[in-house]
Amino acid sequence: MNENTEVVVIGGGYAGVMAANRLTQRADVTVTLINPRPAFVERIRLHQLVAGSDDAVVEYTKVLGKGVRLVVDTVARIDAAGRSVALATGGTVHYDYLVYAVGSGSAAPRVPGAAEHAYPLGGLEEAERLRSVLAAAPATAAVTVVGAGPSGIETAAELAEEGRAVTLVCGGALGPYLHPRGRRSVAGRLARLGVTVLDGPGTKVTGVTHDVVRLADGRELPSDVTVWTVGFGVPDLAARSGLSTDAAGRLLTDETLTSVDDERIVAGGDSAAPSDLPFRMSCQAAGPLGAHAADTVLHRIAGERPEPIALGFVGQCISLGRRGGIFQFAHRNDTAMRVHVGGRAGAKLKQLVCWGTVKQLVDEAHKPGSLSWAWAKDDTREQALRALRDETPVAR
């Protein structure tokens, strides 16, 4: 191996920036981060961008370590055999190790008319487009938000607080992750904001036109602006490059986050599927996964055995406008507890989480290798892995 080790990180989101910063703790490692945008996007603030209370963007000079080279481009293909990536602009970047952290975005809608008439909210450009559409719409325009996960709830609350007439179509339960106590708290806050919440099995959307949202129970909702927040999808870069993926397109890895195809490729964030048992797509998981991906690479460079991922969750935090929110506490295996913090205290906790997520990146940039998530280990993951192995006795 060359005296200097070249590491390329694909994706400049929470996981990619964390991994890139952490890798700079070795002076003999050169780190290149490839990202299609010249600025870092705070995805957990996109609902604020839509409502106009934040731009959801941070300059890379503030979150990226000085030793990281930023290349603003898109990776078109990974050549694992040749240890290189082909760029959309025509260039090629070679690597000794690759960190695959391409993240996630809006899932392609499968409901008739949704792709043509609804506005997704999984990325910066989509949020900016929706913001422009809403700015051009009259204040009395009927806004329908489809999807009752965190993005849908936050967007509905934010727009209602602005005075918009908002209907939230759940397609099932409101906030399915939440404990029933937390769900009641969210429902109460949405009601006070004037949001019409439609939940239950009959609220699955079956069709979207330019001015109507159709539900499974036969109802037709007038909708001048339809916002689509149902699910996340991942880029197909790994599959297009001939690498093994799970059913959703995430890169298949072992528990050290190393690709099952190539030990020179390590994954982190939403695009990783360790042991085909991926963690919930979230910034809460992205940072630790990015850090662990970097640690795996550094262990291999040092000739050491990488450690398996040890990651547990603490809950889910949802803003409900600028003056309300909820922090739903969870067991480390990512199942909700009875305990939650709501109201203004919940809003403050959400703001603290948004601020702290960026601060973690900044801290890692200034002192690479300093951050640790060992306190949040999920001790039940090994049981889940054994159960998975028992269900799939034939090797992949």
Side-chain angles (χ1 to χ4, degrees), residues 307-328:
E307 297 289 332
I309 184 68
L311 172 62
F313 286 77
V314 295
Q316 188 175 85
C317 199
I318 303 174
S319 69
L320 298 166
R322 296 298 86 212
R323 295 180 294 277
I326 182 172
F327 191 100
Q328 170 67 70

Side-chain angles (χ1 to χ4, degrees), residues 17-343:
V17 171
M18 178 59 72
N21 287 344
R22 201 170 180 90
L23 285 162
T24 62
Q25 62 190 285
R26 283 187 64 122
D28 59 349
V29 172
T30 300
V31 184
T32 300
L33 177 71
I34 304 174
N35 191 66
R37 304 181 189 89
F40 175 78
V41 177
E42 290 189 81
R43 283 187 62 188
I44 56 178
R45 289 192 187 271
L46 288 180
H47 61 285
Q48 290 184 251
L49 187 159
V50 169
S53 62
D54 198 283
D55 62 8
V57 170
V58 179
E59 295 300 320
Y60 272 123
T61 53
K62 296 181 179 179
V63 298
L64 204 57
K66 293 182 179 179
V68 179
R69 180 172 73 104
L70 175 65
V71 174
V72 181
D73 209 327
T74 299
V75 174
R77 192 177 184 278
I78 300 166
D79 179 2
R83 293 185 194 166
S84 66
V85 297
L87 303 179
T89 57
T92 300
V93 180
H94 294 271
Y95 66 82
D96 294 307
Y97 289 93
L98 180 72
V99 177
Y100 186 83
V102 298
S104 62
S106 300
R110 298 181 180 180
V111 173
E116 296 81 8
H117 303 295
Y119 297 91
L121 191 56
L124 178 65
E125 292 78 13
E126 293 171 338
E128 290 175 334
R129 179 187 177 210
L130 176 56
R131 174 63 183 163
S132 297
V133 169
L134 287 166
T140 56
V143 179
T144 303
V145 179
V146 181
S151 294
I153 292 171
E154 290 182 328
T155 303
E158 206 81 23
L159 294 178
E161 198 172 63
E162 275 198 327
R164 293 284 185 178
V166 181
T167 298
L168 178 62
V169 178
C170 300
L174 171 67
Y177 179 93
L178 301 172
H179 187 276
R181 290 165 60 95
R183 189 172 298 122
R184 287 193 294 271
S185 177
V186 170
R189 171 63 177 169
L190 291 175
R192 289 190 293 276
L193 288 170
V195 177
T196 300
V197 176
L198 303 180
D199 60 356
T203 62
K204 183 178 179 180
V205 175
T206 59
V208 180
T209 70
H210 71 283
D211 60 356
V212 167
V213 173
R214 297 189 177 93
L215 305 185
D217 60 11
R219 279 179 287 180
E220 293 193 352
L221 310 177
S223 182
D224 298 305
V225 180
T226 302
V227 185
W228 197 265
T229 69
V230 181
F232 289 112
V234 298
D236 65 349
L237 175 60
R240 283 191 285 111
S241 301
L243 298 170
S244 298
T245 65
D246 71 355
R250 290 170 286 214
L251 184 69
L252 275 177
T253 75
D254 63 16
E255 284 294 282
T256 72
L257 303 185
T258 303
S259 166
V260 297
D261 302 310
D262 190 333
E263 71 172 17
R264 298 291 184 132
I265 300 176
V266 181
D270 290 353
S271 53
S275 303
D276 206 3
L277 191 66
F279 298 94
R280 172 165 55 92
M281 292 185 183
S282 63
C283 72
Q284 184 176 169
L289 287 171
H292 195 86
D295 290 347
T296 291
V297 171
L298 292 172
H299 279 305
R300 292 197 185 282
I301 292 172
E304 302 167 351
R305 182 187 296 274
E307 297 289 332
I309 184 68
L311 172 62
F313 286 77
V314 295
Q316 188 175 85
C317 199
I318 303 174
S319 69
L320 298 166
R322 296 298 86 212
R323 295 180 294 277
I326 182 172
F327 191 100
Q328 170 67 70
F329 287 92
H331 300 284
R332 292 182 180 179
N333 67 356
D334 204 23
T335 57
M337 297 178 176
R338 288 171 56 87
V339 182
H340 72 271
V341 176

